[in-house]
Amino acid sequence: MAVAESHMDQGFTFSKLWRDKRYRGVLMQILVIAGLFAFVTFIVHNAIENLAALGKTFGFAFLNTPASYDINQAFIEYDSRSSHFRAGLVGIINTGVVAVCGIVLATILGFLFGVLRLSNNWLVSRLVYCYVEFTRNVPVLVQILLWYGIIVNSLPTPKVAAADHGIWDVIFLSNRGLYIPAPVFGDGTWLAGIALVIAIAFAIFFKIWAKKTQDATGKIYPVFTINLAVIIGLPLLAFAAMGFPLTWEIPELKGFNFKGGAVLKPEFTALWLALSLYTAAFIAEIVRAGIQAVSHGQTEASYALGLKPSWTLRLVVIPQALRVIVPPLTSQYLNLTKNSSLAIAIGYMDIVATIGGITLNQTGKEMECVIIVMAIYLAFSLMISLFMNWYNKHIALVER
Amino acid sequence: MTDISQDKSALQDDHGPDYAPGTHPSLPPPSSSVGPIHWIRVNLFSSIPNILLTILAVWVLWATIPGLLNWALFDAAFQGDSRSDCRAVAEGACWAFISSRFGQFIYGFYPVELRWRVDLAAIGLVMALVPLLFDKVPYRRFGLYFAAAYPFIAYFLLMGGLGLEPVETSKFGGFMLTMVIGVTGIAVSLPIGIVLALGRRSDMPIVRVLCVVFIEFIRGVPLITLLFVASTMLNYFLPPGTTFDLLLRVLIMVVLFASAYLAEVVRGGLQAIPKGQTEAADALGLTYWKAMRLVILPQALKISIPGIVNTFIGLFKDTTLVIIIGLLDPLGIGKAALADAKWQGLAAEVYIFIAILFFICCFGMSRYSLYLENKLHTGHKR
Amino acid sequence: MSEAYASQMQVLDEVAIRIQNMHKWYGEFHVLKNVNLTVNRGERIVICGPSGSGKSTLIRCINRLEEHQRGDIIVDDIELTNDIKNIAEIRREVGMVFQHFNLFPHLTVLENCTLAPIWVRRMPKADAEEIAMNYLEKVKIPDQALKFPGQLSGGQQQRVAIARSLCMNPRIMLFDEPTSALDPEMIAEVLDVMVSLAESGMTMLCVTHEMGFARKVANRVIFMDGGEIIEENEPEEFFNNPQSDRTKLFLSQILAH
């Protein structure tokens, strides 16, 4: 206090500490810091004593020991002798896979439903309203379990599904997942690949060229239609030229399950569907609100200038609606990613189920495991909010 | 009156009778532009895409509704003691399962002879909430006093003590647990959320940074990781030898979680209050806390109520996550019951029942929030 | 003097807009009752009347922002029907200025002006920009071309809106209360632009309460009430010697202050 006193105004009295606005602020902050410090010391001290009492140490060395459990969906090489670290990596990738798939499907459905909700077709708009309200107001965990329950309990066993011939004997929907033929590409596929690259390059070039031509001559080309046709058509043509070097690996019943083909496992399917449908309902509302936020006057002005409805949508409504839609949309993406942690309830092996679940239980490293899982989600959240801030800055309407 | 003008319009040819300026009567619109047929034409068949949409919608309805109704009602079994009993009667849903476990879904493992205490607490909750939520209730003042006393009443009713037989929280379960977590979560987190929101807008940099870090940290991790902290880590941070109840630990985490989200909602409300209000309060000579309590917060909270209700809906739905750390809310009861060999394979029934339970509560709350929003908007429009 | 000034501007014998026995309903509500109006090319018409009298609805029917249920509207020899082609053609020829400007906030002033010429008239960008700058100069704000609408004052925004319509080179201009959302000091700058537009011989239909403007440039003033045209006359006659009681009442109300 004596040190502080020498710096203060000559008229300093102790009563100023809580009467003068400036000093009081400083005092408050010092108190807050002291309190926080005391609190942190207290819990760290407790943690050290508790760990010592249990004979545990704090450290991440366990990550290099063998995990000795299996993961049924691994996109990188993994077996039970791999380390916990690798198990965590598999978990992160699985979280990423379901999050990305979920975001893609939820965005498509959400935009579709949001637009349909605004459709002047009364029946469709009511139907979407019912879907949105029902889905939004039921916990996502219930929906995940419901989908999983339906898939596992109500779908036939592989044996029955195979006996029923599935769909044309190539696609089988059973309680072990959805089995579809896997494409096996033959020798000539490279040409189609090259054609695709060429088509994409052409599409980019054509878009730039069309814009330049329009600027110079005013001529408008149907860029989207032409590009779509080229991107689909050219590889198909190349593929046909090589005589369709494609065979299908058809799933077959071997023992109790199908072998071969590609499979969507029940855990992934349930999680993917539930997360997408749940988030789509929220996105639909965001899209609806975003489009409605563009005032009626904007479309009227555009019509009055002679722009046709499709161009009004593209040039006037969508650019403005996107500014309103994107910020809450990113936070929905974040929510979906965080909700994917519910995977543990149905045994989809994401980061929570691997590091936060089996690894935690096996090693007893509660603190370390929870910290790792939290840090991964935090890093992801931070990235999304950085993007959001960047986007908001770049796209914000210039006002005075 | 309508009849007369209709006669006139019937008589009218293309030019119509000549009226002196200013005397033209209001005529009914041409029949092609009003009435049910016009409505159907405009709303369902106005263009080719519109017709296609109508066909699609009808197809969706036709493909789902009859099957669903059959399964859930017409071909469903409402009585029986096992799944095979149900199957013997009907092909569809087996609701007997739900009715046989209904008590558990609502009360969990709360002793049957003491369930009246839960009922009483629920009635009390309604009595406390009505004066809080609606401002035109007779005797609202007394209702508000009751609401203030309610947490203590509810505590003793549910936990026992003061002469009531004590009940352990591990017996709490079912929908009652959902309500306990949800209501406590929101009631305790609201004041914390307000403090955090004020802290985030404070001019004291250290306070501000702390609040921002706390809020963003909590919002950045899934609730489930916080629940893991509650179930596995929290005991490490307490003085050696102390243990406390899992439900309490979960409640602490739920409160922290909800307060971070509420802080953001309240901050939005604070930001919407024009600066002039603070300046006016300053000019009147109010201190910071007085200005906040008397001028700023009442307004800010009022406009954030819809957001607060939405946060509560989210929290209410999130209470289901407690099954992952072993608490038995309706979902937990349902999962446990599904393990019973007698009833195996009835996941759809259980989860649909729970979904409807939550839907009723959450949809009700969202309607309430909509009602508030409309009320607020009309308030602003004068 | 003002009368002489108005008559300097040439009115051709050619019909620009013909509205015959037109009726419109909003649901059950009869908004426009048996409206008959012929506008010749080069004519400048001011429509006034109390709020809710249907005057805005009337001019919004002319470019089909509202649909009429009975009667005919013929603009530039094109009849307004549900035919999308006709609607598009009429909208190309008819410019409209709104009460709330309705500039596109995500585009710069220049882009606001070039949007329709580029996409509807299929003009090369450079040409469209040249025309836009030309009109922006006419409305006296060429220096604001690269700003966004949100950075401009109300009066400036409305002048941009006028320039934006003119860039489509319309043959008829509709004004829907162009000055009623403006602060008093900004009304004059917008009216100046409208006067000079009138001097250039543009066919204009203005819904406005600016009686000074009406006296100065209008060939005819139309008074509407209850969805009907109650009175139409030359401005001098209209203001000095109104025929109907409702017109007198209305004029006494708006000229009182």
Side-chain angles (χ1 to χ4, degrees), chain A residues 164-226:
Chain A
D164 280 349
H165 300 295
I167 300 170
W168 305 308
D169 257 331
V170 291
I171 298 172
F172 299 97
L173 188 61
S174 75
N175 61 6
R176 296 291 188 87
L178 176 69
Y179 281 80
I180 51 171
V184 180
F185 293 105
D187 280 340
T189 317
W190 56 272
L191 192 66
I194 290 174
L196 183 69
V197 173
I198 292 172
I200 290 173
F202 169 81
I204 295 169
F205 169 78
F206 181 61
K207 196 176 152 75
I208 297 169
W209 179 83
K211 173 87 177 73
K212 271 197 183 141
T213 313
Q214 187 188 355
D215 285 354
T217 67
K219 197 161 165 31
I220 297 170
Y221 292 95
V223 175
F224 182 76
T225 325
I226 290 179

Side-chain angles (χ1 to χ4, degrees), chain A residues 377-389:
Chain A
Y377 279 105
L378 269 182
F380 192 77
S381 303
L382 220 61
M383 281 186 324
I384 293 227
S385 42
L386 282 181
F387 164 77
M388 211 152 88
N389 288 343

